[in-house]
Amino acid sequence: MRIRSKSFLPSTAVLELTYRCNHSCLFCSCPWFSKESGFEILQELDTAQWKCVLDELCRCGISGLAFTGGEALLRDDCLELLEYASSLTVEKTETVDGELTTREVHPEIYLLSNGYLVDSEVLECLAKLDVRLSLSLPGLSTFEKHTGHDRADLVLKLFRQASDMGISTTVNSTVTALNLHELRETLSAALLAGAGQLLMNRFLPGGRGLRNADQLALSENQVLEMLATADDVLTRAGRYGNLGTEIPLCILNKVELKTLEAGTRCSAALGFFVIGPSGYVRVCNHSEKRLDHFMNWKELKRNDYWNTFRLRKYLPAECSDCSLKLDCDGGCREAAHITGGNVDSKDPLL
Ligand code: SF4
Ligand code: SF4
């Protein structure tokens, strides 16, 4: 099944409601937490402006809306915006069995959170609006070391409560050199507590994580161990999971995966795009490059950086003779940009 949007925009938008966060994760990739990026903190959109953005997204046929931050729930209007988004409709065009079909549907809505402000009022709202909840769990014994707070038990309790209330949940786990040793226990605990599926990320340098890369970055062998461990846990549990941060195919080919889905093609500006707290578009949440304001989204068609990602003009020179290059974008293009200086630099793993 393939989803098309009514505009040239990808079918999913990631909405960073706020720059603020109540965790201080060592691995956080938000560009505004990196001194090196020079990423400016501008005034955040207010409630009325976010509602205009949501209206326009739905007019453009964007059928997936992922609310995040920072920590989205730090905004007093987060639930109001979720409620507003869920009241909208969007024309969704899909190719099903080779046939184009168009339906008027409500957007699929996701809330990504660290869980600290998720209480029974929030859970009831998510259940009522059919919003999917993704909670971050970067380790058990290492949770505090990674986030600055000892809240792993709280996250596990929330998975239990959400699952009892019929809310669809995802455990979102960033894997680093510090928590790899307990990845099996971390994922098992989340799935046993009721998390429906897994979104795993390998640590990528960027944001606050850039200055912590020496202690967090995974070697190739550690990435292979991460993939094999997660795949085994998911297979035994009979659950679905995927890796959110693309892997070079020449590394992925070294491990056989039964259940975990791991991509090798960058989906920035193709599968999704990001609207930051001040309304400016970026190709991916890892990107330090602010493009046009979303309300001028048609300008993106003439934006060189956007088109570099749309047209996949970023394969590293080192990959030019590779026989696998039609199925691979050379790893994460924004992590390569941040560490190597250009979008066509090598992935830090290579
Ligand atoms: S294109 Fe580059 S990263 Fe991808 S498989 Fe080939 S050598 Fe590896
Ligand atoms: S830049 Fe591309 S490869 Fe990297 S995380 Fe974003 S979508 Fe994935």
Side-chain angles (χ1 to χ4, degrees):
M1 181 176 77
R2 212 168 132 219
I3 301 172
R4 294 157 194 255
S5 92
K6 278 171 73 185
S7 61
F8 63 83
L9 296 171
S11 61
T12 293
V14 175
L15 311 173
E16 295 172 333
L17 291 192
T18 180
Y19 296 107
R20 289 175 294 139
C21 193
N22 46 7
H23 272 189
S24 41
C25 299
L26 293 177
F27 55 80
C28 177
S29 60
C30 294
W32 52 89
F33 289 131
S34 156
K35 290 195 190 87
E36 298 80 356
S37 72
F39 194 91
E40 224 183 320
I41 293 190
L42 305 174
Q43 187 165 0
E44 292 182 3
L45 299 184
D46 63 23
T47 311
Q49 289 169 321
W50 270 117
K51 286 183 179 175
C52 287
V53 165
L54 291 166
D55 288 339
E56 185 67 4
L57 284 166
C58 288
R59 264 196 295 273
C60 292
I62 312 300
S63 56
L65 301 172
F67 288 77
T68 180
E71 170 55 44
L73 286 165
L74 281 170
R75 275 193 64 134
D76 293 341
D77 58 0
C78 182
L79 297 187
E80 180 181 343
L81 291 172
L82 288 173
E83 187 143 21
Y84 186 76
S86 72
S87 72
L88 299 173
T89 56
V90 54
E91 261 184 34
K92 187 170 174 179
T93 304
E94 295 166 304
T95 313
V96 182
D97 299 331
E99 298 266 326
L100 267 190
T101 56
T102 301
R103 293 177 296 140
E104 191 87 9
V105 296
H106 292 291
E108 282 179 11
I109 303 177
Y110 305 81
L111 174 65
L112 283 69
S113 169
N114 59 39
Y116 188 53
L117 294 174
V118 177
D119 57 16
S120 50
E121 185 203 354
V122 172
L123 289 175
E124 274 159 28
C125 175
L126 302 185
K128 183 181 87 179
L129 302 176
D130 195 22
V131 173
R132 297 142 202 238
L133 176 63
S134 178
L135 293 172
S136 175
L137 187 70
L140 296 174
S141 69
T142 58
F143 189 99
E144 186 171 6
K145 169 95 180 152
H146 280 91
T147 67
H149 302 275
D150 184 11
R151 293 175 183 157
D153 286 345
L154 170 77
V155 173
L156 294 173
K157 188 171 132 211
L158 288 171
F159 278 127
R160 273 180 223 112
Q161 287 176 331
S163 151
D164 289 346
M165 294 170 74
I167 298 167
S168 161
T169 55
T170 296
V171 53
N172 186 341
S173 199
T174 298
V175 183
T176 72
L178 297 179
N179 63 17
L180 177 63
H181 69 91
E182 60 170 353
L183 181 61
R184 180 176 295 279
E185 291 74 17
T186 304
L187 301 186
S188 303
L191 297 176
L192 285 168
Q197 59 183 52
L198 165 69
L199 173 63
M200 186 168 71
N201 294 302
R202 64 174 164 127
F203 166 76
L204 290 175
R208 190 185 289 117
L210 194 55
R211 77 184 86 114
N212 301 311
D214 286 352
Q215 47 173 331
L216 303 182
L218 300 166
S219 66
E220 179 180 321
N221 280 341
Q222 287 173 317
V223 165
L224 294 174
E225 182 186 339
M226 169 191 84
L227 294 169
T229 304
D231 188 57
D232 188 45
V233 172
L234 290 171
T235 304
R236 286 166 190 262
R239 303 284 176 84
Y240 171 80
N242 72 310
L243 186 75
T245 41
E246 288 72 4
I247 295 265
L249 186 51
C250 47
I251 293 179
L252 186 63
N253 275 347
K254 295 180 184 173
V255 62
E256 201 178 317
L257 300 177
K258 295 193 198 78
T259 309
L260 179 73
E261 284 195 17
T264 56
R265 307 302 306 261
C266 174
S267 45
L270 288 162
F272 76 101
F273 67 106
V274 176
I275 303 177
S278 308
Y280 289 86
V281 171
R282 302 200 314 286
V283 292
C284 171
N285 39 309
H286 291 274
S287 180
E288 296 179 343
K289 180 97 174 149
R290 195 175 248 152
L291 308 180
D292 296 287
H293 195 281
F294 175 68
M295 294 316 270
N296 301 324
W297 63 266
K298 288 182 185 153
E299 294 300 315
L300 290 168
K301 215 164 199 169
R302 285 182 279 280
N303 188 301
D304 288 344
Y305 198 80
W306 176 266
N307 287 326
T308 297
F309 281 78
R310 286 291 287 182
L311 303 173
R312 299 188 187 279
K313 291 192 290 190
Y314 42 35
L315 195 69
E318 291 83 352
C319 298
S320 58
D321 292 331
C322 174
S323 60
L324 304 172
K325 70 181 179 192
L326 290 180
D327 296 315
C328 178
D329 287 329
C332 175
R333 292 298 88 223
E334 283 296 5
H337 190 177
I338 291 166
T339 54
N342 294 299
V343 284
D344 60 358
S345 296
K346 279 197 303 179
D347 183 288
L349 203 52
L350 293 172

